[in-house]
Amino acid sequence: MSFKYSHTFPISGPNKLPRFKDWAAQNLPGVAVSLPPQVPVKSTALTVRLKSIDDRDALMAKLEGASF
């Protein structure tokens, strides 16, 4: 199964990938995500790829009100 779905959300500052990985491990256990190999520090968004629309909906619901 491939990662067919994606969601882009605002995130700024350094270490975006480790911060998101830690957050996802705590808030979305069991949801497989595919992240880019790196994200520039100046970037203000992160795109996460997911396997199903249900995983995407779960991510979007958890991201409401989350701060990184």
Side-chain angles (χ1 to χ4, degrees):
M1 181 181 253
S2 64
F3 293 89
K4 297 180 184 180
Y5 303 92
S6 66
H7 181 65
T8 302
F9 60 93
I11 185 172
S12 60
N15 302 316
K16 292 173 188 65
L17 296 176
R19 286 188 291 146
F20 179 78
K21 286 179 187 178
D22 291 343
W23 179 87
Q26 293 175 4
N27 294 290
L28 294 170
V31 175
V33 297
S34 176
L35 298 170
Q38 62 185 14
V39 178
V41 172
K42 292 183 180 182
S43 176
T44 59
L46 176 63
T47 299
V48 177
R49 304 211 25 101
L50 302 125
K51 289 187 176 186
S52 73
I53 195 75
D54 294 331
D55 290 347
R56 182 177 170 268
D57 292 342
L59 173 67
M60 289 172 44
K62 288 285 187 175
L63 281 173
E64 288 184 29
S67 62
F68 290 97

